[in-house]
Amino acid sequence: MTDIPVSHPRYASLVARERVAEGVRRGYTSTQGLIAQGRGECFDYLIGEKTTPAALQAIRAAAAMLLLAERPALSVNGNVAALASEEMVALAAALKIPLEVNLFHRSEERVSKIADLLREKGAVQVLGERPDAAVPGLDHARALATRGGIYDADVVLIPLEDGDRCEALVAMGKKVVAIDLNPLSRTARKATVSIVDNIVRAVPLLTEQVRRFSGTARADLEAMVRDYDNQRVLREAVREIQEHLEGQTEESEE
Ligand code: PTJ
């Protein structure tokens, strides 16, 4: 990996870029993942490269929803593996559930490389290497899922997901928590809870909230979920981008 000095003003962003490039070199991230990363960087720039108040609201609701779930599932693709494998393992440990490798551009080689990486980082159980079901409405290998994991989950966390598959999971009756920097994406629009934040920042915060709420009464968690309005939070996310851009323009005019 290129040696990036910590003093570089774009350190975090450059390290993330290197991680995705490294994932491609090692064969667990798809080449398309590089394009997804570029798109993510652009939206991260627009939100100010920080977790916004709207994202925090979504993270809290997502934590409550995951804790209330009977069968929650966590999906890991090639970009997630490159950017946040340790963080996803920590989240799975906090919820005491397995992780499932679920790829859009599926190849068996990539699935097993990601599963190995997650186990290397301490994952207790990794699903996805032997899928035994298919998400209805999706063609080809990207529909593959596992019973006991994503296929029969009631709540699924899908970071950096394709809109089509998000919609198909919602159509199965699942509650879907998305992590997607683009508040206008089909994934963000269709998910039950959309965390508009970088996965690198969002997953540790989500784990923190899961730990914090783990002793909270069910009725209080249910109230948190009931009071959450995803369309309003998405509108706030767009407004936060506008405000950030207005601030930037004013600064450059001074
Ligand atoms: O490994 P695979 O085969 O499952 O493929 C994974 C990718 C991500 C390539 C695939 O799912 C894909 O093509 O996704 P999209 O349709 O490009 O969507 C990715 C979404 O994630 C876009 O809306 C990006 O803005 C967003 N995104 C990219 N990087 C980040 C991100 N969101 C949060 N954090 C990021 N670091």
Side-chain angles (χ1 to χ4, degrees):
M1 278 181 28
T2 310
D3 203 11
I4 299 158
V6 182
S7 57
H8 194 290
R10 307 209 48 73
Y11 178 77
S13 172
L14 292 174
V15 167
R17 189 181 285 194
E18 281 300 317
R19 285 198 187 150
V20 177
E22 179 71 0
V24 174
R25 277 193 290 270
R26 291 195 183 191
Y28 50 79
T29 305
S30 66
T31 46
Q32 293 88 339
L34 293 168
I35 298 167
Q37 172 66 15
R39 193 142 58 137
E41 276 184 15
C42 175
F43 280 100
D44 206 10
Y45 197 81
L46 294 178
I47 68 167
E49 293 174 315
K50 59 180 188 321
T51 302
T52 66
L56 258 183
Q57 283 184 59
I59 287 169
R60 287 202 196 101
M65 203 170 262
L66 285 164
L67 283 165
L68 285 169
E70 275 174 39
R71 295 175 308 281
L74 307 177
S75 185
V76 178
N77 66 23
N79 285 52
V80 175
L83 291 168
S85 45
E86 267 174 44
E87 292 79 359
M88 289 296 287
V89 169
L91 177 60
L95 288 162
K96 299 185 188 63
I97 57 170
L99 293 150
E100 181 163 343
V101 182
N102 198 258
L103 300 185
F104 184 76
H105 310 282
R106 189 182 172 99
S107 84
E108 297 316 310
E109 193 194 347
R110 244 170 21 90
V111 172
S112 67
K113 281 187 175 175
I114 294 171
D116 285 346
L117 177 73
L118 293 170
R119 284 188 282 259
E120 209 178 279
K121 302 287 181 188
V124 177
Q125 198 189 359
V126 182
L127 305 173
E129 289 170 290
R130 281 174 294 282
D132 54 5
V135 174
L138 295 176
D139 48 3
H140 306 305
R142 70 200 173 107
L144 294 176
T146 312
R147 288 174 207 275
I150 290 174
Y151 186 74
D152 31 35
D154 52 349
V155 177
V156 193
L157 173 73
I158 50 162
L160 286 64
E161 185 59 87
D162 158 70
D164 215 20
R165 207 161 52 182
C166 173
E167 243 182 313
L169 291 170
V170 171
M172 284 178 86
K174 300 177 192 306
K175 290 183 176 138
V176 173
V177 177
I179 301 178
D180 192 325
L181 275 160
N182 178 1
L184 306 171
S185 74
R186 204 143 57 90
T187 301
R189 299 272 145 196
K190 296 290 171 182
T192 322
V193 174
S194 308
I195 301 172
V196 179
D197 197 10
N198 197 317
I199 184 172
V200 171
R201 295 186 298 266
V203 175
L205 288 173
L206 183 55
T207 307
E208 192 184 299
Q209 296 298 316
V210 164
R211 290 193 185 120
R212 186 171 152 223
F213 294 144
S214 60
T216 303
R218 271 190 89 78
D220 293 337
L221 295 176
E222 279 161 5
M224 283 170 68
V225 171
R226 212 176 28 246
D227 293 345
Y228 179 80
D229 178 345
N230 203 46
Q231 295 312 316
R232 184 175 52 75
V233 167
L234 283 173
R235 281 195 298 276
E236 276 176 39
V238 173
R239 202 166 41 240
E240 284 166 346
I241 291 178
Q242 278 166 346
E243 282 167 9
H244 177 66
L245 289 179
E246 276 159 20
Q248 294 286 95
T249 330
E250 277 159 24
E251 256 175 49
S252 60
E253 280 169 358
E254 278 166 12

